[in-house]
Amino acid sequence: MRRALSSTPHEIPAILISVGEDFKSIVWKAQYDMDFNTECLFCFSERITGYRVEDELGRSGKVAVCPHCEKVNAIYA
């Protein structure tokens, strides 16, 4: 599942991130947002972490990432 992240249609084109994609902390500027008390979809660790991310073109969004397997679990607003 691939989803574009954008708040309004008049913003910079949205970043494209897939659930299950490896978290690309080198490619994306990531800033901690919040913790989620839910299991990882991939390795079943007990907590995932939300980040505000931005790519090299300035496109941004929010993703929930497992700190253990480093896979994107969700895209949220």
Side-chain angles (χ1 to χ4, degrees):
M1 175 175 155
R2 202 146 178 90
R3 182 173 167 194
L5 304 172
S6 182
S7 300
T8 66
H10 303 292
E11 290 182 8
I12 298 171
I15 190 170
L16 293 175
I17 299 173
S18 296
V19 170
E21 186 173 346
D22 289 332
F23 185 56
K24 299 177 183 133
S25 57
I26 294 172
V27 176
W28 302 330
K29 288 192 284 182
Q31 183 178 22
Y32 171 82
D33 189 42
M34 68 171 67
D35 286 321
F36 294 92
N37 289 321
T38 186
E39 288 185 346
C40 173
L41 297 171
F42 304 98
C43 74
F44 304 107
S45 72
E46 295 182 13
R47 178 166 278 174
I48 57 177
T49 304
Y51 293 95
R52 282 178 259 151
V53 295
E54 183 179 318
D55 69 8
E56 66 279 355
L57 300 175
R59 299 176 296 193
S60 63
K62 291 183 178 181
V63 295
V65 177
C66 174
H68 183 261
C69 70
E70 297 186 342
K71 297 247 185 231
V72 175
N73 274 247
I75 298 149
Y76 66 98

